[in-house]
Amino acid sequence: MKKTKHCVLLVTCLLTIAQAVAQKETDSPLKFGKLSANETKMTVYDKDPDAAAVILGEKASLIYEMNREGNWDGTFKVHERLKIFKKEAYPSADIRVSYSSKQVLSDVQASCYNLEAGRWVETKLNPNDIVTEKISKTRHIKKFTIPRVREGSIIEYSYAIIDDQVNLFPNWAFQNNYPTLWSEYSVNIPVHFRIMPTIQGVQNQPIVVKEDTLIPHKEHFGASEVTWKNRMMRWAYKDVPAMKPEAMMSSIYNYKLRITLQGVGFYKPKSEKEQTKMDYKDLLADVWQQWGKRLLDDDDWGGFLQNKATDETVKALTDGLTLKKDKVLAIYKHIGMNYEETDYDQVYTTQSLKELLKKRKGTPTELNLLAINLLRRSGVESYPVLMSTRSNGRMDPQYMPMWETMDRVLVYLPALEEKDAFLVDVTAYPAPLGLLPFEDLNGDGFVIRYPNTWVPLKNTINTKKLFFNTLTLNDKGELAGTIAMTATGYEAVEGRHYFHKEGAEKYANKLLKDLLVDGKLETHSFENTDKLEEKYLKGSFKIKSSAFVTKTDSQMYVSPLLFWAEKENPFKNPDRKYDVDYGYARENSYVLHLTIPNGYKVESAPKNTKINFDKGNFTFTYATESAGNELKINVKWSIKKTIFVVEEYPFLRTTYETILNKMAEQIVLSKI
């Protein structure tokens, strides 16, 4: 592949002529190796004094040019400069650049500047310290660490990615983990390419530069002269605040101020001899289907699903099993119990199926592709699902697929006997089938089958927890009785994990921790701690305790919700920038049957309360009933909707406070 030179000087001149005054005010302040006095003197960023670093400037450019063969080369350049104030920002010097194996990453530069003996000294990156890592057949990473970084250092780096496959339409984020003084993205692309730029994320920052013009361009091919127009686009923001995570939010990337370049289509010369005649290729037509087909046709990826090396394993696991659900469970258990998961996520395979079978260690994608192989060879219909985990950001069906926007493959089962279609991620083991890892609950996934379809990434098992308390209070202020627990979904998974790690007694003490501060756990028992087929985890406890009871000469004060009451509002800040994302629906219930001692009466008890928001998507009920020396309290808190938008945050914040106050209310008993 031949690298072409960029027409940067020509572009700059044309823009200067067209917008001379504006360019002076909005030109990028960033030139490699040229530090300004303001940058060197800065010891803190005034608008965010707690920031561990500040991005002094960053810019990216995408340029497409026609090479001598009449084909298009795309070049994506990046340049970033950052000042470090605190040690927490040292990892910013560890640079990782991912690119396709069909692309070339070149022109890597990196320097660190430090103040020494009154002058700024530059330390350049040694090219020998740049490491190239092959993470799959199709993806590479270049890694390097900028040297001599310390508090007060200024670091900068730049690189270029070159692509001749018309596949280079990189996105760009204007917002980062640190505040950014200047961020810009420019595109110089012939009108042969139809692209649709879209600004995404929370757009509460004014744009400083927004340019979109057409510039005449011409090239010579032998004796022929070809002319066309280049589309020149440029966007820039200044003083962009840092991205700061908030409680209960999805991937912070979903809210980053960024621009997405959607390739709609392009015109390509019919042949080298007919450069003026063009064929148009629509990039959006069936683009997801084409992407899926490309993966299936890939010898490594698609070969994972077809390889017969698993025949003996399938026979050993499923011989004698007639029901498909039993085969699925056997395969799920086999992989979960015998294979180790790596931390790295991507949709491409990093090894062959035979290597995976030998090493018994692979990425989540590879383990799920293995599961599909075993399922299909056992006669169970199953398909791969392309998806993006929560930490990677949400995958949008409206945009072209890019490897960066997806990082895991799941298993789709259309139907199993009496069960409807559902998803499986074998890395969820030992969770029951139908419960995905929390990281997987992130919008929709794309099923590679015919006809192709999108499916919501959700569970078929609900997450619920119930405590049923039957307790007696004596005249000394002591509680005694039984507590029964039933948990499903993530509550059951967390319980089983803790049970197997710490043992039954420690798990029981963890559940009833606050109650046992002034009490004793007399007996405990658990059910379904190992049964993956059983979604319910059950526990039974017998206790004695004087916790949550205050006694005086004439009265007793009882906090009836005992250990169950929540004490802290997760939404402390009065303001919120991002949506609240619970990830999954949940329901918590608490029932108390309390027998009060003879000689006492209920002086006062919490009143009945009901909160119903958004047509039942957020409900809280507190019901109190008393008769004689028997008092019953029934509390239920249900959240059915997983995402509440920013506009609903004031309700959530104030309602949580109301619920916490309600949970803190006491029963007052008086001597008769």
Side-chain angles (χ1 to χ4, degrees):
M1 178 169 59
K2 179 180 175 63
K3 177 185 172 185
T4 57
K5 296 182 179 179
H6 307 148
C7 301
V8 178
L9 182 60
L10 173 61
V11 171
T12 304
C13 292
L14 289 170
L15 286 175
T16 302
I17 295 171
Q19 299 180 338
V21 177
Q23 193 69 5
K24 289 180 181 179
E25 299 175 353
T26 60
D27 195 11
S28 168
L30 202 60
K31 298 185 186 303
F32 205 99
K34 303 294 184 181
L35 307 184
S36 70
N38 288 337
E39 292 173 338
T40 57
K41 291 178 182 178
M42 186 185 297
T43 58
V44 68
Y45 180 50
D46 294 339
K47 295 182 179 180
D48 189 353
D50 295 328
V54 62
I55 296 175
L56 301 169
E58 58 177 8
K59 63 180 180 180
S61 63
L62 173 64
I63 300 176
Y64 265 96
E65 296 177 308
M66 185 176 287
N67 59 34
R68 293 179 180 179
E69 289 75 35
N71 298 317
W72 297 104
D73 286 342
T75 303
F76 178 61
K77 284 189 172 184
V78 172
H79 180 194
E80 180 172 329
R81 181 181 296 162
L82 178 143
K83 185 155 192 179
I84 292 175
F85 301 131
K86 301 176 184 178
K87 293 179 180 178
E88 300 94 281
Y90 285 2
S92 300
D94 298 325
I95 312 302
R96 305 288 184 267
V97 183
S98 176
Y99 59 102
S100 165
S101 57
K102 295 181 179 180
Q103 298 169 341
V104 173
L105 193 148
S106 65
D107 297 339
V108 177
Q109 295 184 76
S111 291
C112 177
Y113 307 91
N114 289 304
L115 184 61
E116 297 179 4
R119 67 187 186 91
W120 284 85
V121 177
E122 178 183 7
T123 303
K124 295 183 178 181
L125 173 72
N126 186 334
N128 294 329
D129 293 333
I130 302 173
V131 177
T132 302
E133 181 181 335
K134 181 180 178 181
I135 58 176
S136 73
K137 189 180 76 171
T138 56
R139 300 303 305 177
H140 293 169
I141 290 180
K142 270 202 182 343
K143 304 190 295 186
F144 57 89
T145 298
I146 301 175
R148 299 194 65 207
V149 172
R150 62 184 188 227
E151 291 181 352
S153 294
I154 294 176
I155 61 175
E156 69 177 334
Y157 64 91
S158 65
Y159 61 85
I161 297 176
I162 305 167
D163 189 311
D164 64 355
Q165 303 294 315
V166 198
N167 285 326
L168 193 61
F169 297 105
N171 303 330
W172 181 252
F174 300 101
Q175 198 167 18
N176 302 279
N177 296 334
Y178 299 120
T180 303
L181 303 188
W182 181 271
S183 181
E184 73 165 76
Y185 190 21
S186 61
V187 174
N188 176 3
I189 192 164
V191 291
H192 300 82
F193 299 91
R194 294 183 58 201
I195 63 171
M196 179 175 65
T198 305
I199 295 179
Q200 296 179 294
V202 177
Q203 300 174 36
N204 52 13
Q205 191 76 9
I207 190 166
V208 177
V209 178
K210 187 176 182 181
E211 301 169 351
D212 192 345
T213 58
L214 294 178
I215 305 295
H217 186 84
K218 64 181 178 181
E219 291 283 351
H220 289 87
F221 294 91
S224 302
E225 182 180 271
V226 181
T227 62
W228 64 79
K229 290 184 178 180
N230 279 354
R231 188 179 180 187
M232 304 289 299
M233 292 172 285
R234 183 168 172 253
W235 307 266
Y237 289 83
K238 65 183 297 186
D239 298 328
V240 184
M243 292 292 296
K244 296 182 179 179
E246 297 176 322
M248 293 188 187
M249 66 177 294
S250 60
S251 171
I252 203 165
Y253 181 77
N254 294 331
Y255 305 98
K256 269 190 177 183
L257 180 62
R258 64 194 190 277
I259 191 161
T260 300
L261 295 184
Q262 177 94 357
V264 178
F266 68 94
Y267 292 90
K268 187 176 181 180
K270 287 181 177 293
S271 66
E272 290 186 22
K273 295 181 179 180
E274 296 181 293
Q275 293 291 328
T276 58
K277 296 181 180 180
M278 300 285 180
D279 284 329
Y280 180 71
K281 182 177 181 180
D282 188 347
L283 294 176
L284 293 184
D286 299 325
V287 62
W288 282 96
Q289 288 82 350
Q290 292 175 31
W291 186 276
K293 185 178 184 302
R294 187 166 65 183
L295 285 173
L296 292 176
D297 291 342
D298 183 89
D299 290 339
D300 291 333
W301 205 93
F304 236 85
L305 306 179
Q306 302 165 9
N307 199 305
K308 298 180 180 180
T310 57
D311 282 352
E312 288 186 10
T313 303
V314 170
K315 181 176 177 62
L317 289 174
T318 62
D319 259 13
L321 300 179
T322 56
L323 293 178
K324 292 180 180 179
K325 65 179 182 179
D326 292 335
K327 294 180 180 180
V328 173
L329 184 59
I331 291 168
Y332 178 62
K333 282 184 176 181
H334 169 72
I335 297 176
M337 294 174 65
N338 296 287
Y339 284 79
E340 185 181 348
E341 169 194 354
T342 64
D343 293 333
Y344 187 73
D345 266 356
Q346 66 165 17
V347 294
Y348 295 103
T349 55
T350 64
Q351 60 184 326
S352 68
L353 179 62
K354 289 185 178 180
E355 288 175 316
L356 175 62
L357 294 174
K358 181 179 179 180
K359 296 178 182 177
R360 299 211 166 194
K361 183 176 181 178
T363 66
T365 288
E366 289 165 347
L367 298 183
N368 283 311
L369 289 176
L370 169 61
I372 296 173
N373 177 297
L374 294 170
L375 288 166
R376 288 182 174 180
R377 304 200 76 74
S378 69
V380 178
E381 185 182 8
S382 57
Y383 301 94
V385 179
L386 303 178
M387 56 88 62
S388 175
T389 56
R390 293 174 68 86
S391 57
N392 193 56
R394 195 170 292 118
M395 200 163 70
D396 193 336
Q398 303 302 316
Y399 289 90
M400 287 183 64
M402 297 176 64
W403 82 269
E404 297 95 338
T405 60
M406 57 188 83
D407 63 348
R408 185 174 293 191
V409 171
L410 302 185
V411 182
Y412 177 73
L413 297 167
L416 281 181
E417 277 82 37
E418 73 279 4
K419 290 181 70 71
D420 294 331
F422 69 103
L423 298 168
V424 173
D425 185 341
V426 294
T427 68
Y429 181 87
L433 285 167
L435 192 72
L436 297 171
F438 180 70
E439 263 287 276
D440 290 355
L441 305 181
N442 193 35
D444 296 324
F446 180 72
V447 184
I448 302 178
R449 68 165 182 171
Y450 185 82
N452 296 284
T453 186
W454 287 84
V455 293
L457 302 171
K458 64 180 184 179
N459 295 317
T460 58
I461 297 176
N462 296 324
T463 293
K464 297 181 180 182
K465 200 169 193 176
L466 166 66
F467 283 98
F468 194 98
N469 309 267
T470 305
L471 302 173
T472 298
L473 178 66
N474 64 22
D475 56 6
K476 295 179 182 179
E478 298 170 333
L479 292 164
T482 60
I483 298 174
M485 177 205 75
T486 302
T488 63
Y490 293 114
E491 292 285 1
V493 170
E494 182 182 345
R496 287 188 177 106
H497 177 75
Y498 196 93
F499 179 93
H500 287 288
K501 182 180 179 181
E502 302 292 345
E505 186 168 353
K506 284 189 177 181
Y507 179 43
N509 278 275
K510 177 180 180 289
L511 288 170
L512 309 175
K513 178 182 176 182
D514 293 339
L515 190 62
L516 300 178
V517 170
D518 293 314
K520 179 183 178 183
L521 177 64
E522 295 189 324
T523 63
H524 60 272
S525 64
F526 292 94
E527 298 178 38
N528 303 327
T529 56
D530 292 303
K531 295 181 180 178
L532 295 184
E533 305 91 325
E534 178 57 69
K535 63 182 181 181
Y536 295 101
L537 172 66
K538 297 182 179 182
S540 181
F541 320 97
K542 186 177 181 181
I543 63 101
K544 283 186 178 180
S545 177
S546 57
F548 301 102
V549 180
T550 303
K551 186 178 182 300
T552 67
D553 290 341
S554 59
Q555 291 183 315
M556 279 195 279
Y557 301 86
V558 182
S559 299
L561 298 195
L562 306 175
F563 61 92
W564 190 78
E566 292 197 20
K567 300 176 179 63
E568 189 173 352
N569 189 342
F571 307 122
K572 296 179 181 179
N573 293 332
D575 300 315
R576 178 95 179 185
K577 291 183 179 180
Y578 313 122
D579 299 339
V580 175
D581 187 345
Y582 283 92
Y584 58 91
R586 59 200 66 196
E587 182 180 296
N588 282 297
S589 302
Y590 178 88
V591 178
L592 172 65
H593 286 188
L594 179 65
T595 301
I596 65 175
N598 293 328
Y600 280 83
K601 66 176 181 179
V602 178
E603 186 72 31
S604 64
K607 295 181 180 179
N608 293 348
T609 299
K610 187 173 184 179
I611 298 171
N612 189 330
F613 175 69
D614 195 20
K615 299 179 181 179
N617 281 317
F618 187 110
T619 61
F620 176 83
T621 58
Y622 191 119
T624 305
E625 179 184 347
S626 64
N629 66 341
E630 298 290 329
L631 190 142
K632 297 179 182 179
I633 290 180
N634 196 322
V635 184
K636 185 177 181 181
W637 192 351
S638 173
I639 301 173
K640 295 180 180 179
K641 189 168 72 170
T642 59
I643 297 178
F644 291 83
V645 296
V646 171
E647 289 74 18
E648 295 171 306
Y649 177 72
F651 158 79
L652 284 177
R653 184 170 181 266
T654 56
T655 301
Y656 262 82
E657 205 61 41
T658 300
I659 291 173
L660 293 180
N661 291 334
K662 188 67 185 177
M663 287 183 167
E665 290 183 4
Q666 294 183 316
I667 301 166
V668 180
L669 305 177
S670 298
K671 279 187 177 181
I672 298 174

